[in-house]
Structures are given as C-alpha cells and as structure tokens.
Coordinates of all heavy atoms in Angstrom, one line a residue:
M1 N 33.9 -27.1 45.3 CA 33.6 -25.7 45.6 C 32.3 -25.7 46.4 O 31.3 -26.4 46.1 CB 33.3 -25.0 44.3 CG 33.1 -23.5 44.4 SD 32.6 -22.8 42.9 CE 30.8 -22.8 43.1
T2 N 32.3 -24.9 47.5 CA 31.1 -24.8 48.3 C 30.5 -23.4 48.1 O 31.1 -22.5 47.6 CB 31.5 -24.9 49.8 OG1 32.3 -23.8 50.2 CG2 32.2 -26.2 50.1
F3 N 29.2 -23.4 48.3 CA 28.5 -22.1 48.2 C 27.3 -22.1 49.1 O 27.1 -23.1 49.8 CB 28.1 -21.9 46.7 CG 27.2 -22.9 46.2 CD1 25.8 -22.7 46.2 CD2 27.7 -24.1 45.8 CE1 24.9 -23.7 45.7 CE2 26.8 -25.1 45.3 CZ 25.5 -24.9 45.2
T4 N 26.7 -21.0 49.1 CA 25.5 -20.9 50.0 C 24.2 -21.1 49.3 O 24.0 -20.5 48.2 CB 25.5 -19.4 50.6 OG1 26.7 -19.2 51.3 CG2 24.4 -19.3 51.6
A5 N 23.4 -22.0 49.8 CA 22.2 -22.4 49.1 C 21.3 -21.1 49.0 O 21.2 -20.3 49.9 CB 21.5 -23.5 49.8
R6 N 20.6 -21.0 47.9 CA 19.7 -19.9 47.7 C 18.3 -20.5 47.7 O 17.3 -19.7 47.8 CB 19.9 -19.3 46.4 CG 21.3 -18.5 46.3 CD 21.3 -17.6 45.1 NE 22.6 -17.2 44.7 CZ 22.9 -16.6 43.6 NH1 21.9 -16.4 42.7 NH2 24.1 -16.3 43.3
Y7 N 18.1 -21.7 47.6 CA 16.7 -22.3 47.5 C 16.6 -23.5 48.5 O 17.6 -24.1 48.8 CB 16.4 -22.8 46.1 CG 16.7 -21.8 45.1 CD1 17.8 -21.8 44.3 CD2 15.7 -20.8 44.8 CE1 18.1 -20.8 43.3 CE2 15.9 -19.8 43.9 CZ 17.1 -19.8 43.1 OH 17.3 -18.9 42.1
D8 N 15.4 -23.8 48.8 CA 15.2 -25.0 49.6 C 15.6 -26.2 48.7 O 15.4 -26.2 47.5 CB 13.7 -25.1 50.0 CG 13.4 -24.3 51.2 OD1 14.2 -24.3 52.2 OD2 12.4 -23.6 51.2
G9 N 16.0 -27.3 49.4 CA 16.3 -28.5 48.6 C 16.4 -29.6 49.6 O 16.0 -29.5 50.8
T10 N 16.8 -30.7 49.1 CA 17.0 -31.9 49.9 C 18.4 -32.4 49.8 O 18.9 -32.5 48.7 CB 16.0 -33.0 49.5 OG1 14.7 -32.5 49.6 CG2 16.1 -34.2 50.5
C11 N 19.1 -32.7 50.9 CA 20.4 -33.2 50.9 C 20.5 -34.5 50.2 O 19.7 -35.4 50.6 CB 21.0 -33.2 52.3 SG 22.7 -33.8 52.4
A12 N 21.3 -34.7 49.2 CA 21.4 -36.0 48.5 C 22.3 -37.0 49.3 O 22.3 -38.1 48.9 CB 22.0 -35.8 47.1
A13 N 22.9 -36.6 50.3 CA 23.7 -37.5 51.1 C 22.8 -38.3 52.0 O 21.6 -38.2 52.0 CB 24.8 -36.7 51.9
E14 N 23.5 -39.1 52.9 CA 22.7 -40.0 53.7 C 21.8 -39.3 54.7 O 20.8 -39.8 55.1 CB 23.7 -40.8 54.5 CG 24.3 -41.9 53.7 CD 25.2 -42.8 54.6 OE1 25.2 -42.7 55.8 OE2 25.9 -43.6 54.0
C15 N 22.1 -38.0 55.0 CA 21.3 -37.4 56.1 C 19.8 -37.1 55.5 O 18.9 -37.3 56.3 CB 21.9 -36.1 56.6 SG 21.5 -34.6 55.7
G16 N 19.7 -36.8 54.2 CA 18.4 -36.7 53.6 C 17.6 -35.5 54.2 O 16.4 -35.4 53.9
D17 N 18.2 -34.6 55.0 CA 17.5 -33.5 55.5 C 17.3 -32.4 54.5 O 17.9 -32.4 53.4 CB 18.4 -32.9 56.7 CG 18.2 -33.7 58.0 OD1 17.2 -34.5 58.0 OD2 19.0 -33.5 58.9
R18 N 16.5 -31.5 54.8 CA 16.2 -30.3 54.0 C 17.4 -29.4 53.9 O 18.2 -29.3 54.9 CB 15.0 -29.5 54.5 CG 13.8 -30.3 54.7 CD 13.2 -30.7 53.3 NE 12.8 -29.5 52.5 CZ 12.4 -29.6 51.3 NH1 12.3 -30.7 50.7 NH2 12.2 -28.5 50.6
I19 N 17.6 -28.8 52.8 CA 18.6 -27.8 52.7 C 17.8 -26.4 52.6 O 16.8 -26.3 51.9 CB 19.4 -27.9 51.3 CG1 20.4 -29.1 51.5 CG2 20.2 -26.7 51.0 CD1 21.0 -29.6 50.2
H20 N 18.3 -25.5 53.4 CA 17.6 -24.2 53.5 C 18.5 -23.2 53.0 O 19.7 -23.3 53.0 CB 17.3 -23.9 55.0 CG 16.5 -25.0 55.7 ND1 15.1 -25.1 55.4 CD2 16.8 -25.9 56.6 CE1 14.7 -26.1 56.1 NE2 15.7 -26.6 56.9
P21 N 17.9 -22.1 52.4 CA 18.7 -21.0 52.0 C 19.6 -20.5 53.1 O 19.2 -20.3 54.2 CB 17.6 -19.9 51.6 CG 16.4 -20.7 51.3 CD 16.4 -21.9 52.2
G22 N 20.9 -20.3 52.7 CA 21.9 -19.9 53.7 C 22.7 -21.0 54.2 O 23.8 -20.8 54.8
D23 N 22.3 -22.3 54.0 CA 23.1 -23.4 54.3 C 24.3 -23.5 53.4 O 24.2 -23.1 52.2 CB 22.3 -24.7 54.2 CG 21.3 -24.9 55.3 OD1 21.3 -24.1 56.3 OD2 20.5 -25.9 55.3
H24 N 25.4 -24.0 53.9 CA 26.6 -24.2 53.1 C 26.5 -25.6 52.4 O 26.3 -26.6 53.1 CB 27.9 -24.1 53.9 CG 28.2 -22.8 54.4 ND1 28.8 -21.8 53.6 CD2 28.0 -22.1 55.5 CE1 28.9 -20.7 54.2 NE2 28.4 -20.8 55.4
V25 N 26.5 -25.6 51.1 CA 26.3 -26.8 50.4 C 27.3 -26.9 49.3 O 28.1 -26.0 49.0 CB 24.8 -26.7 49.8 CG1 23.8 -26.8 50.9 CG2 24.6 -25.6 48.9
R26 N 27.3 -28.0 48.6 CA 28.1 -28.2 47.4 C 27.4 -29.2 46.5 O 26.5 -29.9 47.0 CB 29.5 -28.6 47.7 CG 29.6 -29.9 48.5 CD 31.1 -30.3 48.4 NE 31.5 -30.7 47.1 CZ 32.8 -30.9 46.8 NH1 33.7 -30.8 47.6 NH2 33.1 -31.2 45.5
Y27 N 27.8 -29.3 45.3 CA 27.3 -30.3 44.4 C 28.1 -31.6 44.4 O 29.4 -31.5 44.4 CB 27.3 -29.7 43.0 CG 26.1 -28.9 42.7 CD1 26.2 -27.5 42.5 CD2 24.8 -29.4 42.6 CE1 25.1 -26.7 42.2 CE2 23.7 -28.7 42.3 CZ 23.8 -27.3 42.1 OH 22.7 -26.5 41.9
V28 N 27.4 -32.7 44.4 CA 28.1 -34.0 44.2 C 27.2 -34.7 43.2 O 26.0 -34.9 43.4 CB 28.1 -34.8 45.5 CG1 28.7 -36.2 45.3 CG2 28.9 -34.1 46.6
D29 N 27.9 -34.9 42.0 CA 27.1 -35.6 40.9 C 25.9 -34.8 40.6 O 24.8 -35.3 40.4 CB 26.8 -37.0 41.3 CG 28.0 -37.9 41.4 OD1 29.0 -37.6 40.8 OD2 27.9 -38.9 42.1
D30 N 26.0 -33.4 40.6 CA 24.9 -32.6 40.2 C 23.8 -32.6 41.2 O 22.7 -32.1 40.9 CB 24.3 -32.9 38.8 CG 25.3 -32.5 37.7 OD1 26.1 -31.6 37.9 OD2 25.3 -33.2 36.7
Q31 N 24.1 -33.1 42.4 CA 23.0 -33.1 43.4 C 23.6 -32.3 44.6 O 24.7 -32.4 45.0 CB 22.6 -34.5 43.9 CG 22.0 -35.2 42.7 CD 21.3 -36.5 43.3 OE1 22.0 -37.4 43.7 NE2 20.0 -36.5 43.2
L32 N 22.7 -31.5 45.3 CA 23.1 -30.7 46.4 C 23.3 -31.6 47.7 O 22.4 -32.4 48.0 CB 22.1 -29.6 46.7 CG 22.1 -28.4 45.8 CD1 20.9 -27.5 46.1 CD2 23.4 -27.7 46.0
V33 N 24.4 -31.4 48.4 CA 24.5 -32.0 49.7 C 25.1 -30.9 50.6 O 25.7 -30.0 50.2 CB 25.5 -33.2 49.7 CG1 25.0 -34.3 48.7 CG2 26.9 -32.8 49.3
H34 N 24.8 -31.1 51.9 CA 25.4 -30.2 52.9 C 26.9 -30.4 52.8 O 27.4 -31.5 52.6 CB 24.9 -30.5 54.3 CG 23.5 -30.4 54.5 ND1 22.6 -31.4 54.8 CD2 22.7 -29.2 54.6 CE1 21.4 -30.9 55.0 NE2 21.4 -29.6 54.8
V35 N 27.6 -29.3 53.1 CA 29.1 -29.5 53.1 C 29.5 -30.5 54.1 O 30.4 -31.3 53.9 CB 29.8 -28.1 53.4 CG1 31.2 -28.3 53.7 CG2 29.6 -27.1 52.3
G36 N 28.9 -30.5 55.3 CA 29.2 -31.4 56.4 C 28.9 -32.9 56.0 O 29.3 -33.8 56.7
C37 N 28.0 -33.1 55.0 CA 27.6 -34.4 54.7 C 28.4 -35.0 53.5 O 28.3 -36.1 53.1 CB 26.1 -34.4 54.2 SG 25.0 -34.0 55.5
F38 N 29.3 -34.1 52.9 CA 30.1 -34.5 51.8 C 31.1 -35.6 52.2 O 31.8 -35.3 53.1 CB 30.7 -33.3 51.2 CG 31.5 -33.7 49.9 CD1 30.9 -34.1 48.8 CD2 32.9 -33.6 49.9 CE1 31.6 -34.5 47.7 CE2 33.6 -33.9 48.8 CZ 33.0 -34.4 47.7
P39 N 31.1 -36.7 51.5 CA 32.2 -37.7 51.9 C 33.5 -37.1 51.6 O 33.8 -36.6 50.5 CB 31.8 -38.9 51.0 CG 30.9 -38.3 49.9 CD 30.2 -37.1 50.5
K40 N 34.4 -37.3 52.5 CA 35.7 -36.7 52.4 C 36.5 -37.2 51.2 O 36.8 -38.4 51.1 CB 36.5 -37.0 53.7 CG 35.8 -36.7 54.9 CD 35.9 -35.2 55.3 CE 35.3 -34.9 56.6 NZ 33.8 -35.1 56.7
D41 N 36.8 -36.3 50.3 CA 37.7 -36.5 49.2 C 37.3 -37.7 48.3 O 38.1 -38.4 47.7 CB 39.1 -36.8 49.7 CG 39.7 -35.5 50.3 OD1 39.3 -34.4 49.9 OD2 40.5 -35.7 51.3
D42 N 36.0 -38.1 48.4 CA 35.5 -39.2 47.6 C 36.2 -40.5 47.9 O 36.1 -41.5 47.1 CB 35.7 -38.9 46.1 CG 34.6 -37.9 45.7 OD1 33.5 -38.0 46.2 OD2 34.9 -37.1 44.8
E43 N 36.9 -40.6 49.0 CA 37.6 -41.9 49.3 C 36.6 -42.9 49.8 O 35.9 -42.6 50.7 CB 38.7 -41.6 50.3 CG 40.0 -41.1 49.7 CD 41.1 -41.1 50.8 OE1 41.0 -41.8 51.8 OE2 42.1 -40.3 50.5
P44 N 36.6 -44.1 49.3 CA 35.7 -45.1 49.8 C 36.2 -45.5 51.2 O 37.4 -45.5 51.5 CB 35.9 -46.2 48.8 CG 37.2 -46.0 48.2 CD 37.4 -44.6 48.2
E45 N 35.2 -45.7 52.1 CA 35.5 -46.2 53.4 C 36.2 -47.5 53.3 O 35.8 -48.4 52.6 CB 34.2 -46.4 54.2 CG 33.5 -45.1 54.6 CD 33.9 -44.7 56.0 OE1 34.0 -45.6 56.8 OE2 34.0 -43.5 56.3
P46 N 37.3 -47.7 54.1 CA 37.9 -49.0 54.1 C 36.9 -50.0 54.8 O 36.3 -49.7 55.8 CB 39.2 -48.8 55.0 CG 39.0 -47.5 55.7 CD 38.0 -46.7 54.9
R47 N 36.8 -51.1 54.1 CA 35.8 -52.0 54.6 C 36.4 -52.9 55.7 O 37.6 -53.3 55.6 CB 35.4 -52.9 53.4 CG 34.7 -52.1 52.3 CD 33.2 -51.8 52.7 NE 32.4 -52.9 52.5 CZ 32.0 -53.2 51.3 NH1 32.3 -52.5 50.2 NH2 31.3 -54.3 51.1
P48 N 35.6 -53.3 56.6 CA 36.1 -54.2 57.7 C 36.4 -55.5 57.1 O 35.8 -56.0 56.1 CB 35.0 -54.2 58.7 CG 33.8 -53.8 57.9 CD 34.2 -52.9 56.9
T49 N 37.3 -56.2 57.7 CA 37.8 -57.5 57.2 C 37.4 -58.6 58.2 O 37.6 -58.4 59.4 CB 39.3 -57.6 56.9 OG1 39.6 -56.5 56.0 CG2 39.7 -58.9 56.3
C50 N 36.9 -59.7 57.8 CA 36.5 -60.8 58.7 C 37.8 -61.4 59.3 O 38.8 -61.6 58.6 CB 35.8 -61.9 57.9 SG 35.5 -63.3 58.9
P51 N 37.8 -61.5 60.6 CA 39.0 -62.0 61.3 C 39.2 -63.5 61.0 O 40.3 -64.0 61.3 CB 38.8 -61.8 62.8 CG 37.3 -61.7 62.9 CD 36.8 -61.1 61.6
N52 N 38.2 -64.2 60.5 CA 38.3 -65.6 60.3 C 38.8 -65.9 58.8 O 39.7 -66.8 58.7 CB 37.0 -66.3 60.5 CG 36.6 -66.2 62.0 OD1 37.5 -66.3 62.9 ND2 35.4 -65.9 62.3
C53 N 38.2 -65.3 57.8 CA 38.5 -65.7 56.5 C 39.3 -64.6 55.8 O 39.7 -64.7 54.6 CB 37.3 -66.0 55.7 SG 36.1 -64.6 55.5
F54 N 39.5 -63.4 56.4 CA 40.2 -62.3 55.9 C 39.7 -61.7 54.6 O 40.5 -61.1 53.9 CB 41.7 -62.7 55.8 CG 42.3 -63.2 57.0 CD1 42.5 -64.5 57.3 CD2 42.6 -62.3 58.0 CE1 43.1 -65.0 58.5 CE2 43.1 -62.7 59.2 CZ 43.4 -64.1 59.5
T55 N 38.4 -62.0 54.3 CA 37.9 -61.3 53.2 C 37.1 -60.1 53.7 O 36.7 -60.0 54.8 CB 36.9 -62.2 52.4 OG1 35.9 -62.6 53.3 CG2 37.6 -63.4 51.8
E56 N 36.9 -59.1 52.8 CA 36.2 -57.9 53.1 C 34.7 -58.3 53.4 O 34.1 -59.1 52.6 CB 36.2 -56.9 52.0 CG 37.5 -56.1 51.9 CD 37.4 -55.0 50.9 OE1 36.4 -54.8 50.3 OE2 38.4 -54.3 50.8
I57 N 34.2 -57.7 54.5 CA 32.8 -58.1 54.8 C 31.9 -57.2 53.9 O 32.0 -56.0 53.9 CB 32.6 -57.8 56.3 CG1 33.5 -58.7 57.1 CG2 31.1 -58.0 56.6 CD1 33.4 -58.5 58.6
A58 N 31.0 -57.8 53.3 CA 30.1 -57.1 52.4 C 29.1 -56.2 53.2 O 29.0 -56.4 54.4 CB 29.3 -58.1 51.5
L59 N 28.4 -55.3 52.4 CA 27.5 -54.4 53.1 C 26.4 -55.2 53.8 O 25.8 -54.8 54.8 CB 26.8 -53.5 52.1 CG 27.7 -52.4 51.6 CD1 27.0 -51.6 50.6 CD2 28.2 -51.5 52.7
N60 N 26.0 -56.4 53.3 CA 25.0 -57.2 54.0 C 25.6 -58.1 55.1 O 24.9 -58.9 55.6 CB 24.2 -58.0 52.9 CG 25.1 -59.0 52.2 OD1 26.3 -59.2 52.6 ND2 24.6 -59.7 51.3
G61 N 26.9 -57.9 55.4 CA 27.5 -58.6 56.5 C 28.0 -59.9 56.1 O 28.6 -60.7 56.9
A62 N 28.0 -60.3 54.8 CA 28.4 -61.6 54.3 C 30.0 -61.6 54.1 O 30.5 -60.6 53.7 CB 27.7 -62.0 53.0
C63 N 30.6 -62.7 54.4 CA 32.0 -62.9 54.0 C 32.1 -64.3 53.6 O 31.1 -65.1 53.5 CB 32.9 -62.6 55.2 SG 32.6 -63.7 56.6
S64 N 33.3 -64.7 53.3 CA 33.5 -66.0 52.7 C 33.1 -67.2 53.6 O 32.6 -68.2 53.1 CB 35.0 -66.2 52.3 OG 35.3 -65.4 51.2
C65 N 33.3 -67.0 54.9 CA 33.0 -68.1 55.8 C 31.5 -68.1 56.2 O 31.1 -69.0 56.9 CB 33.9 -68.0 57.0 SG 33.7 -66.6 58.1
A66 N 30.8 -67.1 55.8 CA 29.4 -67.0 56.1 C 28.5 -67.6 55.0 O 27.3 -67.8 55.2 CB 28.9 -65.6 56.4
S67 N 29.1 -68.0 53.9 CA 28.3 -68.4 52.8 C 28.2 -70.0 52.9 O 28.9 -70.6 53.5 CB 28.9 -68.0 51.5 OG 30.2 -68.5 51.4
Ligands
LIG1 ZN1 23.0 -33.4 54.7
LIG2 ZN1 34.6 -64.7 57.3

C-alpha cells in the first residue's frame, strides 16, 4: 500500500535520500521508502554466475574458483 508522506523522513532503501511531505512512499519492514525505491515484489535479484565454475558470485565478488 502506498500513501503520501506527511512528515520528513529518510528513505530506508539504498537511495538514503530524504522523504518530504507529499512524496509517495510505502512501508517496508516498518520503515519508510520511496515508492520508486521499493524493490519489486520482494524478489531477490538473480545473482550473476561465474562462467568458469558456474557458482553464484558472492556480493564480494568471490566464487568457487577465486578462493
Ligand atoms: Zn528512496
Ligand atoms: Zn568462478
């Protein structure tokens, strides 16, 4: 559910920008985020796969052949 912010706040999503009254926002885990910053349908991003070892590449860039 989206609504219009009534108070200043801070976006809890990655953008980290201020939320101003009148902005379209919604709650994610009880924290306000801009509607545009909301991750779509809570679906995790598909992770890239290493072309050499075919394991998912971790956030730090590590895969099975890098260890
Ligand atoms: Zn935001
Ligand atoms: Zn690899």
Side-chain angles (χ1 to χ4, degrees):
M1 187 189 95
T2 67
F3 60 98
T4 303
R6 293 192 200 169
Y7 307 100
D8 280 316
T10 303
C11 181
E14 285 184 8
C15 90
D17 279 346
R18 303 290 300 173
I19 287 168
H20 303 286
D23 286 354
H24 289 281
V25 295
R26 62 168 293 168
Y27 276 110
V28 177
D29 295 333
D30 291 330
Q31 295 193 292
L32 280 176
V33 300
H34 298 114
V35 170
C37 296
F38 181 67
K40 308 279 184 296
D41 298 329
D42 285 326
E43 278 189 18
E45 287 260 324
R47 298 282 282 281
T49 304
C50 176
N52 294 318
C53 64
F54 301 106
T55 57
E56 284 190 356
I57 298 173
L59 284 179
N60 63 5
C63 64
S64 290
C65 62
S67 58

